[in-house]
Amino acid sequence: DQGFCNKLGKQHRGHRRFDEIKTKPTWFIIKHFAGPVGYCTDGFLDKNKDQLSNDLIECMGGSSNDFVAGLFRKDIKYAEVLDKDKAKTEDKRVGGKKKKYTVSSEFKDQLSSLMDIVD
């Protein structure tokens, strides 16, 4: 968890909307327009390693509800499960390994996106 916080610090250090708390190494602060908000990463990675099961992805992607199906069909991270042949040619690689999407990786992506927006 401290390692996760360190990675966030390394990536966003110096950004005017990001701050670290020196006395709390597992905390970071995002300076939102309404004021600073502290985030604690204690236990964060253990709680958020979960991945959606392939059965659930296939079920939701094959939903008769167009909105629900679209949420999964349009998302690249579910392509490998939903479109096995297409995903082989378009798989996302990070350091030579296939990127695994978890709640924590989604949070990290959203945090980066938020930092871009509030900048």
Side-chain angles (χ1 to χ4, degrees), residues 38-51:
Y39 295 90
C40 179
T41 62
D42 289 336
F44 184 79
L45 293 179
D46 290 334
K47 292 184 285 187
N48 296 299
K49 285 184 179 176
D50 56 334
Q51 292 179 280

Side-chain angles (χ1 to χ4, degrees), residues 18-36:
F18 182 86
D19 204 0
E20 298 172 278
I21 303 174
K22 302 296 180 203
T23 58
K24 296 180 180 180
T26 59
W27 283 73
F28 64 94
I29 295 174
I30 300 293
K31 299 172 190 170
H32 296 276
F33 67 92

Side-chain angles (χ1 to χ4, degrees), residues 52-77:
L52 293 177
S53 73
N54 289 351
D55 290 340
L56 179 61
I57 294 168
E58 289 171 359
C59 178
M60 300 305 276
S63 173
S64 60
N65 182 307
D66 291 337
F67 175 73
V68 172
L71 291 174
F72 285 78
R73 292 248 164 235
K74 294 175 185 173
D75 201 321
I76 185 95
K77 65 182 164 257

